[in-house]
């Protein structure tokens, strides 16, 4: 172990030096006899802490002196508070009792010290104890708000000197600070302390980001200062000309607030424009305050164009915590927006020191928001029905606006966005917990999944192994995590169910003698108006489509070969044949003979001009034209060769023929749009239907389009293959191979 060499004489000198600095800071409020009281408190603290050292190795007394200094200098508190700050740790950490304090310093000081001692362990792993402690803290606040203010000073000094603490303590203390103390400082109007607490917490919790922003700020410091100088100079001049006494300066924004802006707006550091604000602090008489502020506003906005949306007038109606100021954002040189805050010295003191300054000026603000707030706190505390947890809710609701903090049953803290529900919380803890969630107990009361959580709620999730995510859950969850987990789980479930539907459909098609293949499935999906085959299978499994309708579908698609009527009359056949045969050929000319002869293009292979085709004579449906490579062709020609007639296309151009395309690709945003744009806009081709399946990034679609001939089709296919994301484009070889002849 390293031996610690301590120069006690030097330490004694240093302690006295710090003590004198404290006295100097409190001078403004000292009254007769106060100095003696402070001396007395200092001596008691010095003596009782004499054998104690801080983690840094320094004498412990440095800490109470520093807390007292913050209370006096940065919060503006008076003698009683300075005395209490000096003694704030003696009852808890040394042999001195509350009675000793009361005997030497009286009841008032003793009560404040008592409050400080009681709330020293506000955060504990038992959440109800936490809440109870919080209540205690506020009870003492209502009793004497100085307890809270000294506690804040204590916390600030601990945060400032935390580098010697072990890492886990640093994290715990930092999170308590952002969670509770910084908002409390904000609520009490202690803006400077609030900002410093946030920055210090961030330094430990997000040290990389903190260092990054600090470095960035430093890099541009000279440039920024020059800018501020240029901006401020003309304002100073005109203020002087108009005999308005004022201090004008630029103030950098806190690292934490810059980081907040980056996160909220999702922008990099370079895009945060308001890295500083300009302050104009007027030296005004109380009765001229408002008029002077507006005069200064007028001067600023004569020089720089204001953004009308960014005028905030807290001079006419101060904030709830007493903050008074006039804010505007103006267009400065180089097209940069600059925030300007205008207020008087009195207003500035309130802004910096918050509540304590308010006390000082109490006559002028007897109905201030803070008084009302303290009144409300007292009322709530008096209400015997409100238990500690309920109370915590009501209170903290006012502290935060866009995020809430929720306790687990073990007292751990979770941060969620406003409007988060019990289900969001469950997913936040673990996706399995979310998926199996059937309800929750919030502050020991049973609530539904959709229950909107309030700040400070303690939530216990109730699960069932039979539970699974439901579609309607998406209507009330707000966190991205819950949403994506529910969606992927629903899709998984749908796929599982669809798998059953697929088997059912396969069996049914088999019994109807319809071939089970991709083309036919797409046609069926289209027939039943589903966007994709997954939906088709899924709905088959759910029994939502009547499989009897498949028969109807079959007949709508029916072509002659299914009838395979053997009863065709020889005379009938001969009649048709004779019609086809013209003077110099026995070939059916498609297009030309359209009027004379009753023929149709078969829907099983959708022939288009350019295809090799033949005609097949049916009994009731005239002649059907098939492609020679139609899967039905071989069978028809082999079995009913006598009913086949030669056919060829004539050179007609105006007609459009239906054909099918199968497109596969990588599913990326806008792929369908790109494909349909090529078809409709570039080729001016009409589409009859489009069905699309997208599965884990693979896109598969069937499109029925009208084309003029094979050349036209070839060009279209070529063009579609060039679309980014498309991997293959093919023509359906046989759309209704499903209608296999038996
Ligand atoms: Mn302390």
């Amino acid at each position: 172990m390293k031996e610690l060499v301590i120069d006690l004489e030097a330490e004694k000198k240093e302690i006295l030096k710090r003590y004198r600095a404290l006295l100097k800071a409190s001078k403004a409020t000292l009254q007769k006899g106060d100095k003696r009281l402070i001396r007395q408190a200092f001596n008691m603290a010095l003596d009782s802490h004499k054998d104690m050292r801080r983690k840094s190795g320094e004498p412990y007394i440095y800490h109470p002196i520093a807390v007292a200094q913050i209370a006096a200098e940065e919060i503006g508190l008076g003698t009683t508070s300075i005395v209490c700050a000096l003694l704030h740790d003696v009852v808890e950490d040394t042999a001195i009792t509350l009675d000793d304090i009361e005997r030497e310093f009286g009841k008032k000081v003793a009560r404040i010290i008592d409050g400080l001692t009681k709330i020293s362990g506000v955060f504990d792993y038992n959440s109800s104890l936490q809440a109870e402690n919080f209540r205690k803290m506020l009870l003492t606040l209502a009793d004497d708000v100085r307890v809270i203010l000294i506690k804040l000073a204590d916390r600030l000094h601990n945060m400032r000197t935390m580098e010697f603490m072990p890492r886990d303590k640093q994290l715990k203390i930092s999170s308590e600070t952002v969670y509770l103390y910084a908002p409390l400082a904000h609520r009490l109007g202690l803006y400077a302390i609030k900002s410093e607490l946030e920055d210090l917490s961030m330094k430990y919790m997000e040290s990389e980001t903190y260092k990054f922003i600090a470095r960035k700020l430093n890099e541009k410091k000279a440039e920024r200062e020059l800018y501020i100088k240029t901006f401020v100079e003309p304002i100073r001049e005109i203020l002087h000309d108009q005999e308005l006494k004022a201090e004008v300066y630029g103030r950098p924004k806190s690292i934490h607030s810059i980081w907040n802006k980056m996160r909220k707006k999702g922008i990099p550091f370079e895009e945060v424009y308001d890295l500083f604000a300009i302050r104009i602090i007027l030296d005004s008489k109380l009765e001229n305050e408002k008029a002077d502020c507006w005069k200064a506003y007028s001067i600023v906005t004569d020089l720089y164009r204001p953004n009308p949306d960014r005028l905030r007038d807290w001079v006419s109606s101060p904030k709830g915590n007493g903050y008074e100021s006039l804010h505007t954002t103006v267009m400065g040189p180089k097209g940069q927006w600059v925030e300007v805050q205008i207020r008087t010295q009195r207003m500035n003191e309130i802004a910096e020191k918050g509540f304590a300054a308010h006390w000082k000026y109490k006559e002028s603000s007897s109905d201030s928001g803070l008084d009302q707030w303290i009144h409300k706190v007292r009322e709530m505390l008096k209400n015997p029905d409100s238990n500690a947890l309920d109370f915590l809710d009501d209170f903290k609701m006012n502290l935060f606006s866009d995020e809430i903090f929720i306790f687990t049953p073990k007292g751990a803290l979770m941060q969620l966005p406003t409007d988060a529900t019990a289900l969001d919380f469950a997913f936040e803890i673990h996706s399995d917990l979310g998926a199996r969630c059937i309800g929750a107990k919030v502050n020991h009361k049973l609530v539904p999944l959709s229950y909107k959580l309030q700040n400070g709620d303690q939530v216990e999730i109730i699960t069932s192994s039979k539970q699974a995510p439901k579609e309607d859950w998406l209507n009330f969850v707000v966190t991205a995590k819950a949403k994506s987990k529910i969606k992927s789980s629903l899709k998984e479930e749908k796929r599982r169910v669809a798998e059953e539907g697929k088997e059912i459909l396969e069996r049914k098609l088999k019994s109807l003698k319809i071939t089970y293949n991709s083309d036919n499935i797409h046609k069926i999906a289209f027939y039943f108006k589903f966007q994709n085959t997954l939906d088709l299978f899924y709905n088959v499994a759910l029994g939502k489509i009547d499989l009897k309708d498949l028969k109807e579908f079959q007949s709508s698609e029916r072509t002659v070969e299914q009838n395979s009527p053997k009863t065709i009359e020889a005379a009938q056949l001969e009649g048709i044949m004779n019609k086809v045969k013209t003077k110099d050929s026995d070939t059916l000319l498609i297009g030309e003979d359209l009027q004379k002869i009753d023929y149709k293009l078969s829907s099983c292979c959708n022939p288009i001009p350019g295809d090799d085709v033949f005609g097949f004579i049916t009994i009731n449906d005239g002649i059907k034209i098939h492609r020679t490579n139609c899967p039905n062709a071989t069978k028809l020609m082999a079995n009913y060769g006598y009913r086949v007639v030669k056919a060829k296309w004539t050179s007609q151009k105006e007609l459009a023929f239906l054909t099918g395309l199968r497109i596969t690709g990588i599913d990326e945003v806008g792929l369908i749009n790109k494909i349909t744009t090529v078809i409709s806009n570039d080729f001016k081709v009409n589409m009859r239907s489009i069905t699309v399946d997208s599965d884990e990034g693979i896109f598969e679609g069937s499109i029925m389009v009208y084309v003029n001939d094979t050349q036209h089709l070839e060009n279209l296919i070529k063009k579609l293959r060039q679309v980014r994301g498309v991997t293959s484009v093919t023509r359906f070889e046989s759309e209704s191979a499903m209608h296999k002849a038996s």
Side-chain angles (χ1 to χ4, degrees):
M1 212 173 132
K2 200 179 147 195
E3 201 184 330
L4 208 60
V5 184
I6 298 164
D7 184 341
L8 287 173
E9 273 313 303
E11 261 183 6
K12 228 179 230 168
K13 270 187 194 157
E14 179 62 27
I15 291 168
L16 281 175
K17 195 178 136 202
R18 290 182 187 212
Y19 172 66
R20 275 194 291 271
L22 168 65
L23 282 181
K24 205 177 153 206
S26 48
K27 214 172 174 179
T29 55
L30 288 187
Q31 285 171 4
K32 211 177 161 223
D34 284 354
K35 214 168 164 181
R36 190 190 52 82
L37 265 179
I38 294 173
R39 177 91 212 180
Q40 202 181 330
F42 169 68
N43 283 337
M44 184 187 252
L46 183 64
D47 185 57
S48 58
H49 290 301
K50 68 174 181 290
D51 297 325
M52 294 166 65
R53 288 192 177 268
R54 304 200 81 206
K55 276 267 185 315
S56 60
E58 290 176 332
Y60 194 85
I61 190 70
Y62 285 6
H63 170 64
I65 294 174
V67 174
Q69 179 115 12
I70 292 168
E73 208 167 48
E74 294 175 54
I75 309 181
L77 295 173
T79 303
T80 306
S81 303
I82 293 167
V83 165
C84 292
L86 283 167
L87 297 171
H88 80 270
D89 278 333
V90 296
V91 173
E92 195 179 354
D93 297 339
T94 77
I96 293 192
T97 65
L98 220 52
D99 287 340
D100 298 335
I101 304 269
E102 192 174 332
R103 214 176 310 116
E104 284 209 40
F105 298 95
K107 250 200 170 83
K108 195 160 64 182
V109 171
R111 277 180 77 170
I112 294 173
I113 303 282
D114 185 31
L116 284 163
T117 309
K118 278 180 183 152
I119 63 169
S120 63
V122 167
F123 277 81
D124 195 279
Y125 278 102
N126 182 317
S127 80
S128 60
L129 185 65
Q130 263 176 49
E132 198 48 52
N133 275 331
F134 198 87
R135 183 184 158 96
K136 266 187 216 153
M137 184 161 155
L138 291 162
L139 266 165
T140 45
L141 160 72
D143 195 40
D144 195 323
V145 76
R146 283 172 290 193
V147 171
I148 291 292
L149 296 170
I150 294 165
K151 192 70 203 167
L152 279 167
D154 181 29
R155 173 53 56 126
L156 181 58
H157 185 248
N158 283 334
M159 289 295 294
R160 281 176 182 170
T161 55
M162 206 159 61
E163 68 258 54
F164 298 102
M165 285 283 180
R167 180 77 183 137
D168 63 321
K169 277 256 173 75
Q170 286 176 344
L171 289 176
K172 182 174 180 282
I173 293 170
S174 296
S175 50
E176 280 173 21
T177 300
V178 268
Y179 169 58
L180 182 60
Y181 290 94
L184 201 53
H186 181 85
R187 194 65 187 81
L188 294 170
L190 295 153
Y191 286 98
I193 289 177
K194 174 224 172 206
S195 294
E196 192 179 345
L197 287 175
E198 283 174 343
D199 268 11
L200 287 167
S201 302
M202 186 186 166
K203 191 173 150 191
Y204 290 102
M205 295 169 81
E206 297 279 344
S207 49
E208 285 311 308
T209 320
Y210 181 88
K211 278 186 223 152
F212 169 80
I213 296 174
R215 199 184 64 231
K216 285 277 186 185
L217 277 176
N218 205 33
E219 276 168 14
K220 298 273 174 189
K221 199 175 172 200
E223 191 183 308
R224 193 164 55 244
E225 278 169 359
L226 184 68
Y227 186 92
I228 290 171
K229 202 172 162 238
T230 326
F231 183 90
V232 153
E233 215 43 63
I235 299 177
R236 277 200 189 121
E237 271 171 35
I238 300 175
L239 282 169
H240 181 80
D241 290 349
Q242 301 202 3
E243 288 170 356
L244 278 171
K245 265 203 258 172
E247 253 184 284
V248 187
Y249 57 90
R251 232 190 102 87
K253 292 263 172 93
S254 77
I255 291 179
H256 185 267
S257 70
I258 292 169
W259 182 49
N260 251 349
K261 192 151 269 179
M262 288 164 66
R263 280 188 302 177
K264 249 190 203 151
K265 297 192 170 174
I267 52 174
F269 176 85
E270 285 70 22
E271 284 171 34
V272 180
Y273 69 85
D274 47 352
L275 297 173
F276 61 89
I278 300 294
R279 275 195 193 154
I280 301 177
I281 310 295
L282 295 152
D283 183 5
S284 292
K285 283 190 186 130
L286 202 58
E287 61 270 27
N288 297 335
E289 280 191 323
K290 197 171 169 182
D292 287 352
C293 286
W294 285 105
K295 256 187 224 165
Y297 173 82
S298 167
I299 290 167
V300 172
T301 52
D302 278 348
L303 287 164
Y304 307 107
R305 189 169 57 81
N307 179 341
D309 297 336
R310 300 292 298 271
L311 174 64
R312 299 284 180 272
D313 175 11
W314 289 302
V315 169
S316 308
S317 38
K319 279 191 187 179
N321 59 17
Y323 184 81
E324 292 172 70
S325 193
L326 200 56
H327 290 196
T328 180
T329 300
V330 299
M331 180 61 82
K334 295 181 200 163
Q336 195 183 329
W337 289 109
V338 176
E339 186 184 313
V340 181
Q341 304 172 349
I342 302 164
R343 53 198 187 221
T344 64
Q345 276 171 5
R346 179 191 65 84
M347 295 172 186
N348 193 48
E349 202 172 335
I350 290 170
E352 304 250 289
K353 296 178 179 170
F355 180 68
H358 238 291
W359 260 354
K360 206 164 132 189
Y361 298 100
K362 201 156 185 194
E363 311 79 57
S364 64
S365 57
S366 56
D367 61 344
S368 74
L370 196 86
D371 285 349
Q372 288 171 26
W373 180 69
I374 288 180
H375 179 73
K376 228 168 82 189
V377 169
R378 274 212 187 90
E379 285 303 301
M380 283 194 283
L381 289 169
K382 271 190 237 154
N383 184 356
D385 295 336
S386 72
N387 69 35
L389 275 162
D390 286 346
F391 176 69
L392 194 61
D393 300 345
D394 292 343
F395 176 73
K396 276 193 293 180
M397 214 140 64
N398 299 323
L399 290 182
F400 305 92
S401 52
D402 43 8
E403 56 195 21
I404 54 173
F405 289 86
I406 304 299
F407 294 100
T408 68
K410 283 184 180 165
L413 212 54
M414 310 285 288
Q415 190 180 334
L416 288 165
T418 311
D419 289 341
T421 60
L423 189 57
D424 282 303
F425 175 80
F427 274 104
E428 202 61 28
I429 292 179
H430 198 281
S431 36
D432 282 348
L433 201 63
R436 304 270 167 251
C437 183
I438 53 169
K441 275 185 182 171
V442 170
N443 305 328
H444 311 296
K445 267 179 257 160
L446 204 60
V447 298
L449 295 173
S450 57
Y451 176 84
K452 269 190 190 165
L453 298 174
Q454 304 294 330
N455 225 333
D457 276 347
Q458 186 184 26
V459 185
E460 186 186 341
I461 297 298
I462 304 163
T463 60
S464 157
S465 60
K466 292 190 180 69
Q467 178 68 303
K470 304 277 184 291
E471 190 106 34
D472 73 311
W473 287 9
L474 292 168
N475 297 335
F476 55 78
V477 294
V478 299
T479 59
K481 187 175 178 185
K483 276 185 184 163
S484 77
K485 293 284 178 197
I486 293 167
K487 277 184 191 161
S488 72
S489 160
L490 283 174
K491 206 164 178 193
E492 215 172 274
E493 175 66 9
K494 194 172 174 180
R495 238 180 240 138
R496 200 186 56 72
V497 173
E499 209 49 46
E500 292 169 23
K502 194 174 169 184
E503 282 167 27
I504 296 169
L505 190 63
E506 238 177 308
R507 282 199 298 275
K508 190 72 192 172
L509 291 183
K510 202 172 176 188
S511 76
L512 287 171
K513 312 244 185 298
I514 298 174
T515 311
Y516 182 92
N517 65 19
S518 171
D519 289 346
N520 288 339
I521 295 305
H522 275 91
K523 282 195 88 173
I524 294 169
F526 176 71
Y527 179 81
F528 287 106
K529 298 189 169 60
F530 289 115
Q531 288 294 306
N532 51 51
T533 54
L534 184 71
D535 282 347
L536 170 71
F537 295 147
Y538 183 68
N539 280 282
V540 167
L542 296 185
K544 279 192 183 163
I545 67 167
D546 194 346
L547 290 175
K548 278 182 211 139
D549 290 345
L550 271 178
K551 280 199 178 126
E552 220 168 275
F553 161 75
Q554 191 181 28
S555 61
S556 79
E557 290 287 321
R558 181 157 297 209
T559 50
V560 67
E561 50 276 9
Q562 276 69 53
N563 298 353
S564 311
K566 290 184 171 94
T567 52
I568 190 162
E569 307 264 333
Q572 210 180 340
L573 185 66
E574 204 175 332
I576 297 170
M577 285 294 214
N578 286 337
K579 266 191 190 171
V580 171
K581 282 175 189 161
T582 55
K583 39 192 181 298
D584 34 65
S585 129
D586 58 353
T587 303
L588 172 67
L589 293 175
I590 310 163
E592 199 171 80
D593 299 333
L594 200 62
Q595 315 301 321
K596 286 187 280 177
I597 299 168
D598 178 23
Y599 73 87
K600 279 181 184 144
L601 300 176
S602 162
S603 66
C604 61
C605 56
N606 290 311
I608 59 173
D611 283 334
D612 246 346
V613 289
F614 66 94
F616 186 81
I617 298 163
T618 70
I619 301 306
N620 304 316
D621 227 6
I623 299 173
K624 286 261 173 160
I625 309 297
H626 290 266
R627 285 154 65 185
T628 47
N629 58 2
C630 171
N632 291 324
T634 330
K635 189 164 187 127
L636 293 175
M637 290 196 270
N639 294 324
Y640 312 100
Y642 62 98
R643 283 157 62 181
V644 171
V645 293
K646 288 188 216 162
K648 69 177 187 194
W649 303 93
T650 56
S651 55
Q652 44 75 32
K653 283 268 187 283
E654 302 311 311
L655 290 175
F657 299 86
L658 190 67
T659 190
L661 291 174
R662 154 92 63 251
I663 302 179
T664 58
I666 310 299
D667 192 10
E668 42 179 87
V669 183
L671 185 61
I672 295 183
N673 186 39
K674 278 189 253 170
I675 290 170
T676 53
T677 302
V678 168
I679 296 172
S680 318
N681 296 0
D682 301 358
F683 272 80
K684 308 264 183 274
V685 158
N686 286 324
M687 279 181 289
R688 194 188 74 177
S689 70
I690 176 163
T691 63
V692 168
D693 259 352
S694 184
D695 187 12
E696 308 201 324
I698 303 301
F699 169 97
E700 204 185 324
S702 312
I703 303 177
M704 300 301 291
V705 292
Y706 289 95
V707 293
N708 301 121
D709 54 27
T710 47
Q711 192 55 51
H712 192 203
L713 181 64
E714 275 310 308
N715 293 342
L716 177 61
I717 288 174
K718 221 182 265 171
K719 195 71 192 264
L720 284 172
R721 282 184 181 144
Q722 288 164 8
V723 172
R724 210 173 72 104
V726 168
T727 51
S728 81
V729 183
T730 48
R731 182 179 174 188
F732 286 179
E733 276 317 319
S734 70
E735 206 193 348
S736 36
M738 56 195 300
H739 304 297
K740 244 187 188 164
S742 48

